[in-house]
Amino acid sequence: MKHPLALLTALMLAPLVAFAQKAPAWVLPEINAPRVQRVLFESKAVGRQVSCHIFTPEVYERGKEQRFPVVYWLHGTGGGLPGVAPVSARFDAAIREGKIPPMLVVFPNGLATSMWCDAKDGSVPMETIVIKELIPHIDTTFRTIAKREGRIVEGFSMGGYGAARLGFKYPQLFGAVSVLAGGPLDLDFAGPRANGNPAERERILNSTFGDLDYYRAVHPIAVAQQQAENLRGNVRVRIAVGALDNTEPLNRAYSEHLKKLNIAHTFTVVPGVGHDTLALLKGLSETNWEFYRSLSGNGPTANVVTKPEVANAAKAARRAWESAPAEKKALWQQQREALTHIDLSEDTKRQVIIARGSPKPDEYHAHPTTAMLADHKTMFCVWNLGHGGHAGPMARSEDAGLTWKRLDDALPPNYVNFKNCPSLYRITDPQGKERLWVFAARTLTDKENPKLIEGRHEGFMPRIVSEDEGKTWRELPPIGGRISKDDPFRCIMTFSSIVRLKDGSHLGMFHRGSGIGEEGTLQVLQSVTRDGGFTWSEPTMACDGTQLDGKHPCEPYVFRSPDGNELCCLMRENKRSGTSLVMFSSDEGKTWSQAVDAPWGLTGDRHHGVTLPDGRMVIVFRNATPQSKDKAGFIAWVGTYDDIKQGKSGQYRVSLLKTFKDGFYPGIHLLPEGTIVATTYANYRKEDVGCSIVSVRFKMIEVDAMAAKATSRTKP
């Protein structure tokens, strides 16, 4: 008699057995398993209901505000219903024993032999169902961490093949990929399992893939090669297989394929284990739980940078260059060569340290913004701790940025619970009263370990205000309501910029995802305050990424033309398909032109600028320019408003500061005697884990002289 475990595994995975030709069973029955429920959702792809099963931990019912990471568990051939109970029981036990944080486990219905891809003839659009329908439905229906850091895709056998396909094809959706005894992992569909049942191989090949060409085109080998640049350092990957499993040689070969592509991963062969799901998971022992712990999305996030944004921007710029058509490359090269490139990044005498980072994880200073009072001497700087972390620090300078004093203890206690890129603005109301405001994206949720304050404010766009030039501060209720996907002020970041309108009101612009959290196509919205920042109008759409052919606008920087008659908005393009974006309004923001590509030299993130007395503009940003030859990542572009309007190159690109890892969201001010103070963050010393807040000081008369000297050297 066979061991019960072997019988269970055979039922779970039944690889490459004959299945009757019948209509797909899109709705599977409910099962009797602790904390597992069947979920039905409407699928437009197949025009009917589709089922999945989901495990929720016990704490899900108690913590009504807590959000949870999600494991998408993809079953093997034959259907996954028998495997739901034992796999969910393993997760349940591990959560109860404290081996892993609480998480949801979703068991999609992948039919018997869908291979977790869209069939060539469209009859079974499995990939479409999972990516475009199931994941959004789960994020809408359950309290998930609705971003890539909160999702793991994992599967065994056919499910391992599917995890590699979907995880590698959609790195923007998954932070981790687990391939367990995946197969088929050869390009000829001629591995030992397929060869052991040639009739079934032909049936799957014909019904799902249609032919070998399509099979090879959608294969995990091809997907990894196509997405290698996006996967390197960005997704945690593991491959595991039993030593007695006849798929071991092909799993090992796939590991070697990833090595050649420089895609970091672990490859584990478990002794004494064949093609058996539960035996493989058990054999992985403690390393199995370490994988989930490190990628649960529930750990502390304030002091961790999984992938520095500077490296992301540089990598994306290379990808944009490599994929650009010849005529686009020619234009970018022409604009690059038309600019004079100046390097100030090595001149440490220009640099002022506002807050020093260190090897200590709690000294990671990031994402500063600044404001200057009307005396042109008093400056303020706010930032968050950790990349996208919580607020807390503020500094004040009374000598135009040469020396700084921390003001953290003078701020309202709940300010430390503000999250992501606190932004500082000086706003004058229609009666002439000036106030300083700090807005942030949202307050920390309970799962993010906020400072416990009884009756604290919670919601989108929390804020503090000073009405006495920064001497005292008080907290007001957030602009938005409690954190909800339906709140009109839901955002990824708060106002990236605010501009005064002709009638004395102020227009603030921010961005959000069209989906939940950071998911979906990005959208830029705007809101108006007519009382100096206390109340804000219902946000309206200024730029919808769904109308931009795959481009993702975000981090809007809005400013007025020199003649005062037009507004211009520069935006980071987060799909990294080329240059930044720009749009214009001639009616004070009531309507905007269609966003178009900005000049090559302005390509980057989180733009901010000043206008010089001679009419030129200096705009600073994090560099993300394709085929850049700049010496640093913190860039100042110098040119005219007409250059931006007409798509011209501009005059200079000035390298201001380098980093060893992360950096370069800025603030910028122009002093009366001509000094420009540009403030950003960077890993200032190689040994620092944390970033420092740093100002760079320069004058345009110096830059002009350096440019003239550089130009004279190039003349024959």
Side-chain angles (χ1 to χ4, degrees):
M1 179 177 178
K2 288 188 177 180
H3 190 279
L5 185 62
L7 288 173
L8 173 62
T9 300
L11 284 171
M12 285 174 64
L13 305 163
L16 299 178
V17 296
F19 301 101
Q21 297 290 330
K22 58 183 179 180
W26 290 114
V27 175
L28 298 177
E30 296 183 356
I31 65 170
N32 184 20
R35 310 208 59 78
V36 173
Q37 60 182 291
R38 185 182 68 170
V39 174
L40 301 177
F41 60 98
E42 294 294 332
S43 170
K44 293 182 179 179
V46 294
R48 63 181 64 194
Q49 283 191 323
V50 175
S51 71
C52 71
H53 290 79
I54 184 168
F55 162 82
T56 56
E58 185 177 2
V59 71
Y60 186 87
E61 301 303 325
R62 298 199 306 266
K64 294 299 185 180
E65 295 298 322
Q66 183 176 355
R67 291 188 173 271
F68 299 82
V70 184
V71 176
Y72 285 86
W73 175 270
L74 310 185
H75 62 74
T77 52
L81 200 59
V84 173
V87 172
S88 62
R90 281 184 56 83
F91 279 97
D92 191 19
I95 292 169
R96 291 176 182 274
E97 294 166 12
K99 294 181 178 179
I100 57 175
M103 58 185 63
L104 312 184
V105 185
V106 176
F107 300 87
N109 175 12
L111 304 180
T113 56
S114 72
M115 306 309 296
W116 300 102
C117 69
D118 288 347
K120 184 178 181 180
D121 64 6
S123 59
V124 179
M126 187 56 65
E127 178 180 328
T128 297
I129 291 172
V130 172
I131 298 300
K132 296 186 177 181
E133 297 179 334
L134 174 61
I135 292 177
H137 180 79
I138 294 297
D139 285 341
T140 302
T141 309
F142 294 86
R143 298 194 311 277
T144 67
I145 298 175
K147 55 184 180 179
R148 61 181 303 277
E149 291 84 355
R151 297 194 194 98
I152 300 172
V153 61
E154 181 171 46
F156 183 88
S157 193
M158 177 184 84
Y161 170 98
R165 277 202 74 255
L166 300 181
F168 288 175
K169 187 174 180 180
Y170 300 99
Q172 74 274 25
L173 295 181
F174 300 102
V177 178
S178 174
V179 180
L180 304 177
L185 289 179
D186 65 298
L187 287 176
D188 293 318
F189 204 179
R193 299 177 62 76
N195 285 339
N197 195 331
E200 185 60 18
R201 175 212 184 253
E202 286 302 307
R203 196 186 74 78
I204 295 175
L205 183 63
N206 293 331
S207 64
T208 300
F209 300 109
D211 52 54
L212 267 178
D213 288 341
Y214 185 74
Y215 167 84
R216 291 166 178 160
V218 301
H219 196 277
I221 290 177
V223 174
Q225 193 157 345
Q226 294 159 3
Q227 292 282 77
E229 188 71 10
N230 294 327
L231 294 168
R232 294 185 189 115
N234 203 30
V235 178
R236 183 162 180 176
V237 181
R238 74 169 178 182
I239 303 173
V241 65
L244 305 181
D245 192 327
N246 60 8
T247 70
E248 190 273 342
L250 290 177
N251 275 266
R252 183 180 296 276
Y254 191 61
S255 171
E256 292 299 319
H257 178 63
L258 298 188
K259 285 182 183 179
K260 291 177 182 177
L261 295 173
N262 293 318
I263 298 173
H265 66 286
T266 61
F267 176 65
T268 305
V269 177
V270 179
V273 173
H275 201 66
D276 185 319
T277 313
L278 299 181
L280 179 60
L281 291 172
K282 184 177 179 180
L284 286 170
S285 188
E286 180 61 20
T287 60
N288 183 52
W289 305 124
E290 288 175 359
F291 183 79
Y292 301 111
R293 283 198 298 268
S294 65
L295 291 150
S296 68
N298 259 358
T301 58
N303 303 313
V304 178
V305 179
T306 57
K307 182 64 177 176
E309 284 296 317
V310 173
N312 278 339
K315 182 173 68 174
R318 290 194 298 271
R319 186 173 66 248
W321 174 263
E322 292 167 357
S323 62
E327 61 272 18
K328 184 70 71 175
K329 288 182 178 178
L331 174 63
W332 291 345
Q333 284 181 313
Q334 179 185 12
Q335 294 200 344
R336 184 187 68 183
E337 298 307 317
L339 288 158
T340 300
H341 297 261
I342 306 296
D343 184 17
L344 302 180
S345 63
E346 300 288 351
D347 190 349
T348 58
K349 297 188 298 295
R350 299 180 180 276
Q351 300 164 5
V352 175
I353 309 300
I354 300 174
R356 173 78 77 175
S358 82
K360 298 179 181 179
D362 60 345
E363 295 185 5
Y364 193 114
H365 307 284
H367 306 144
T369 62
T370 57
M372 183 169 65
L373 298 185
D375 63 6
H376 297 292
K377 292 181 180 179
T378 307
M379 292 182 178
F380 293 83
C381 182
V382 297
W383 61 94
N384 48 238
L385 294 174
H387 189 100
H390 68 84
M394 176 185 284
R396 176 185 177 116
S397 172
E398 297 182 354
D399 55 10
L402 292 172
T403 60
W404 293 82
K405 179 181 179 180
R406 292 285 286 272
L407 303 176
D408 305 21
D409 294 339
L411 302 178
N414 196 39
Y415 182 61
V416 298
N417 291 326
F418 290 16
K419 180 175 175 60
N420 198 15
C421 300
S423 297
L424 175 62
Y425 297 100
R426 177 177 143 222
I427 300 178
T428 304
D429 70 18
Q431 289 72 44
K433 172 66 176 177
E434 286 190 355
R435 297 176 181 87
L436 291 172
W437 292 88
V438 181
F439 306 95
R442 61 174 175 83
T443 52
L444 296 174
T445 60
D446 289 342
K447 74 176 182 60
E448 295 170 304
N449 300 315
K451 181 179 179 181
L452 296 179
I453 300 172
E454 186 175 354
R456 70 183 180 96
H457 291 301
E458 297 180 74
F460 284 112
M461 293 209 189
R463 52 187 172 159
I464 60 174
V465 63
S466 173
E467 302 190 71
D468 55 8
E469 298 186 331
K471 296 181 180 65
T472 61
W473 295 81
R474 62 188 174 99
E475 182 184 8
L476 273 66
I479 300 174
R482 291 183 66 85
I483 297 171
S484 162
K485 65 182 180 66
D486 299 320
D487 191 273
F489 282 93
R490 65 180 172 86
C491 60
I492 296 171
M493 288 168 51
T494 187
F495 301 119
S496 296
S497 56
I498 296 176
V499 66
R500 186 179 178 89
L501 301 180
K502 290 180 179 179
D503 64 0
S505 62
H506 286 77
L507 174 73
M509 303 189 77
F510 64 98
H511 75 276
R512 70 184 184 197
S514 62
I516 300 171
E518 299 186 18
E519 300 304 331
T521 303
L522 298 181
Q523 302 168 325
V524 170
L525 293 98
Q526 62 186 35
S527 177
V528 173
T529 178
R530 302 187 184 280
D531 56 10
F534 289 96
T535 61
W536 293 82
S537 65
E538 184 89 356
T540 58
M541 188 77 67
C543 183
D544 188 352
T546 64
Q547 307 300 313
L548 293 181
D549 192 24
K551 295 181 182 293
H552 286 192
C554 63
E555 296 175 3
Y557 166 50
V558 60
F559 58 96
R560 190 169 293 281
S561 62
D563 64 10
N565 293 326
E566 189 173 57
L567 297 179
C568 175
C569 182
L570 280 168
M571 296 170 286
R572 165 177 173 172
E573 198 288 287
N574 208 45
K575 195 72 172 179
R576 307 293 196 186
S577 60
T579 65
S580 291
L581 299 169
V582 65
M583 61 184 183
F584 301 90
S585 174
S586 57
D587 56 8
E588 296 296 276
K590 294 182 179 64
T591 61
W592 289 91
S593 65
Q594 178 78 356
V596 297
D597 289 348
W600 173 91
L602 278 164
T603 304
D605 306 342
R606 196 63 188 262
H607 304 78
H608 275 280
V610 295
T611 300
L612 304 176
D614 63 10
R616 289 183 295 175
M617 296 194 69
V618 180
I619 299 176
V620 290
F621 51 91
R622 176 199 288 148
N623 186 28
T625 315
Q627 203 72 353
S628 169
K629 62 179 182 180
D630 302 281
K631 301 297 183 182
F634 187 36
I635 298 296
W637 174 91
V638 182
T640 66
Y641 185 85
D642 185 63
D643 290 333
I644 301 174
K645 180 83 173 180
Q646 303 299 327
K648 298 177 182 178
S649 60
Q651 189 177 16
Y652 309 143
R653 290 251 303 187
V654 185
S655 295
L656 297 177
L657 192 66
K658 297 179 179 179
T659 186
F660 290 99
K661 187 183 294 183
D662 197 16
F664 305 144
Y665 275 29
I668 185 171
H669 299 288
L670 174 64
L671 304 182
E673 37 77 32
T675 297
I676 297 169
V677 183
T679 304
T680 190
Y681 74 108
N683 286 88
Y684 196 65
R685 300 176 300 188
K686 189 173 185 179
E687 66 270 22
D688 287 350
V689 174
C691 289
S692 298
I693 307 297
V694 185
S695 286
V696 181
R697 304 171 71 90
F698 61 100
K699 294 183 177 181
M700 280 311 302
I701 190 172
E702 301 168 332
V703 174
D704 288 335
M706 296 174 72
K709 186 175 181 180
T711 303
S712 66
R713 286 199 301 264
T714 62
K715 290 182 178 180

